[in-house]
Amino acid sequence: MSAQSLYRHARLHVVSAVLLSRGAESAQSEMVDISATGLCVQRPQQWQGGRGQLWTLDLLLEGDAHINLEATCVRETEHKLCFEFTRIPEDRQIPLWNLLGGYADRVEAFNT
């Protein structure tokens, strides 16, 4: 079976700390990449979460800027966690789009 080319929102590689929280659980990580629909982080060593869980993500950016949003864990690997945004507060949308710049409207090909 050959690989099929699909398209997804373009990923922007950003170095940023991320705080993941869910109820009394929390973990710190580093962002791998971000797109208009979600982001991937390095898997924390003590990760206790799982696919399908809703998390609050606090992205700590340069210049004391941060973006809080809600996202669902949609994929786990040995080294990464991938989240899909479920809620971006209205006052955080502009900072997110400013961070993404031209990546907000681009798509890229990837193979399955």
Side-chain angles (χ1 to χ4, degrees), residues 1-95:
M1 183 180 281
S2 64
Q4 178 182 11
S5 277
L6 299 174
Y7 291 90
R8 64 182 181 188
H9 285 91
R11 293 340 191 225
L12 173 65
H13 297 280
V14 176
V15 176
S16 168
V18 178
L19 176 64
L20 302 95
S21 58
R22 181 176 185 270
E25 299 175 68
S26 66
Q28 291 182 326
S29 184
E30 293 235 354
M31 190 181 332
V32 174
D33 61 40
I34 187 168
S35 74
T37 58
L39 63 85
C40 290
V41 300
Q42 294 176 359
R43 185 185 182 105
Q45 288 183 340
Q46 304 300 322
W47 176 249
Q48 297 295 313
R51 286 185 58 189
Q53 292 180 335
L54 181 65
W55 288 80
T56 299
L57 307 179
D58 189 6
L59 315 179
L60 307 172
L61 306 168
E62 287 183 13
D64 291 333
H66 71 276
I67 299 173
N68 295 85
L69 41 82
E70 293 179 0
T72 300
C73 183
V74 293
R75 188 175 62 218
E76 291 183 75
T77 70
E78 184 179 344
H79 302 287
K80 290 194 308 187
L81 302 173
C82 299
F83 292 89
E84 180 178 54
F85 301 144
T86 54
R87 182 176 175 277
I88 304 168
E90 192 170 323
D91 65 334
R92 296 288 132 209
Q93 291 178 14
I94 290 174

